[in-house]
Amino acid sequence: MSSTPIDLNLSLDQSRRDARRDSVFRLAVTATGLLVLLALLGTALSMLWGGQEALQTFGWRFFTSSDWDVGALQFGAMVPIFGTLVTSLIAMIIAVPVSFGIAVFLTEVSPPWLRTPLASALELLAGIPSIIYGMWGLFVLGPYLGENIYPWINDHLGNLPVLGPLFQGPPLGIGMLTAGLVLAIMVIPFISSVMREVFLTVPTRLKESAYALGSTTFEVVWDVVLPYTKSAVIGGIFLGLGRALGETMAVTFVIGNAYELSAGLLNPGTSIASTIANEFGESVDPLHKSSLLALGFVLFLLTFVVLAAAKFLLMRLQLREGE
């Protein structure tokens, strides 16, 4: 039975309508994707434009100077940058192994009846606002550390030959070590959730084959699970690092907000985010406000470099897997 001209015209009209709808759909989703890039670029340029007065006034000395004197209008970003990097490093040193242990327990060791409650508790921790962590660190964790832990650390570890200066300082309970501990508690739910989800993607037959050959749980995790999911695990770790670098309120409560460059982890310090949070609302002088915006641009660059390094590392791992 042959098609009539009317049927052909209807089919042609339908094809044209489908093509137009598909074009509109492509434009819509392309616009949403470009919106992310525009927002990212706009944020970076706005902070750079706002901080140009400080960068023009101090030049490269803005990044290398430890001076931060509002009265004398002398500003340098070294102390906030140092505090941001140190607290984030402390957080990752603690959070990565703990998150790995949580993810392995939930996927390989935990009894089935316990997995769901623990996973729910993990998600609940991830949803707690950062200001709650900061208040808990200030009123609970900080006093406990200052009374019971930091005096022992100062007396017993402060005299070590090389690492001793890291553990010297007044037992105030607040400082860079406390800020790093609070950050670690905050990022553990994010990293462990990512690890848990990717560990669940490992095919069961691979693990069962390893167990059938006599492998222990440690050997299955180390030789089967981790090689299969290493790219996603590294991505989750860098995601947590990005969160730690940009955290504001929790760090502001417990870091001490002191503009002093010290190797002692027990001493108060400051970070880029806490400096901006403390002073931006009270900044009257244009140079002061410009310096805070320049700090925001520095934090943007730090986060961008971390995420770009993670992406580059993941690409290298994918290329090696392809080889």
Side-chain angles (χ1 to χ4, degrees):
M1 185 176 182
S2 60
S3 301
T4 63
I6 296 177
D7 295 335
L8 293 176
N9 291 334
L10 290 176
S11 178
L12 183 59
D13 292 340
Q14 181 65 33
S15 299
R16 290 173 178 173
R17 285 194 298 268
D18 292 341
R20 285 196 298 268
R21 291 171 182 171
D22 188 64
S23 299
V24 172
F25 176 75
R26 288 178 178 273
L27 289 174
V29 295
T30 301
T32 56
L34 293 177
L35 181 62
V36 177
L37 297 178
L38 290 176
L40 185 67
L41 184 62
T43 302
L45 291 179
S46 62
M47 288 186 293
L48 180 60
W49 180 263
Q52 64 176 344
E53 182 178 353
L55 297 177
Q56 291 174 356
T57 302
F58 303 109
W60 287 104
R61 191 166 60 88
F62 178 79
F63 303 98
T64 59
S65 174
S66 59
D67 297 331
W68 192 274
D69 191 341
V70 178
L73 295 180
Q74 295 294 321
F75 302 103
M78 177 58 69
V79 176
I81 292 175
F82 177 77
T84 300
L85 295 177
V86 169
T87 53
S88 300
L89 180 61
I90 294 173
M92 300 311 295
I93 291 175
I94 299 172
V96 171
V98 173
S99 300
F100 177 75
I102 293 173
V104 171
F105 177 78
L106 288 175
T107 56
E108 303 296 332
V109 181
S110 173
W113 61 268
L114 189 58
R115 292 177 183 175
T116 301
L118 285 180
S120 301
L122 200 63
E123 295 174 357
L124 181 62
L125 284 176
I128 295 177
S130 60
I131 192 172
I132 302 299
Y133 284 105
M135 294 175 64
W136 172 78
L138 179 63
F139 295 111
V140 179
L141 181 63
Y144 177 80
L145 294 175
E147 295 176 5
N148 302 285
I149 306 299
Y150 286 173
W152 185 92
I153 291 178
N154 185 43
D155 295 338
H156 293 80
L157 301 181
N159 298 322
L160 295 177
V162 178
L163 301 179
L166 294 176
F167 304 104
Q168 294 176 357
L172 301 176
I174 58 175
M176 288 190 292
L177 183 56
T178 306
L181 290 172
V182 173
L183 280 178
I185 296 173
M186 292 184 63
V187 301
I188 281 174
F190 293 93
I191 301 176
S192 57
S193 296
V194 173
M195 289 185 177
R196 172 178 171 269
E197 293 297 328
V198 298
F199 287 171
L200 290 175
T201 63
V202 179
T204 306
R205 63 179 181 274
L206 293 180
K207 295 188 290 185
E208 291 179 349
S209 300
Y211 283 123
L213 293 174
S215 300
T216 62
T217 302
F218 173 79
E219 291 172 338
V220 170
V221 172
W222 191 258
D223 297 328
V224 177
V225 176
L226 269 183
Y228 191 88
T229 60
K230 58 184 177 182
S231 298
V233 168
I234 293 175
I237 292 173
F238 277 94
L239 179 64
L241 178 57
R243 170 70 190 274
L245 287 171
E247 178 53 43
T248 304
M249 294 309 301
V251 175
T252 303
F253 273 93
V254 297
I255 198 171
N257 302 302
Y259 296 95
E260 297 179 1
L261 194 62
S262 173
L265 300 179
L266 306 185
N267 292 323
T270 188
S271 67
I272 296 176
S274 62
T275 299
I276 297 173
N278 282 323
E279 300 186 13
F280 195 82
E282 301 176 357
S283 58
V284 178
D285 190 89
L287 183 59
H288 185 198
K289 183 172 293 186
S290 177
S291 299
L292 294 174
L293 290 172
L295 275 181
F297 181 71
V298 172
L299 181 58
F300 175 87
L301 288 181
L302 285 177
T303 308
F304 179 80
V305 169
V306 167
L307 297 180
K311 185 64 176 178
F312 177 76
L313 182 58
L314 293 177
M315 291 174 60
R316 292 290 302 271
L317 290 175
Q318 290 175 356
L319 289 176
R320 289 182 181 180
E321 291 176 356
E323 294 175 356

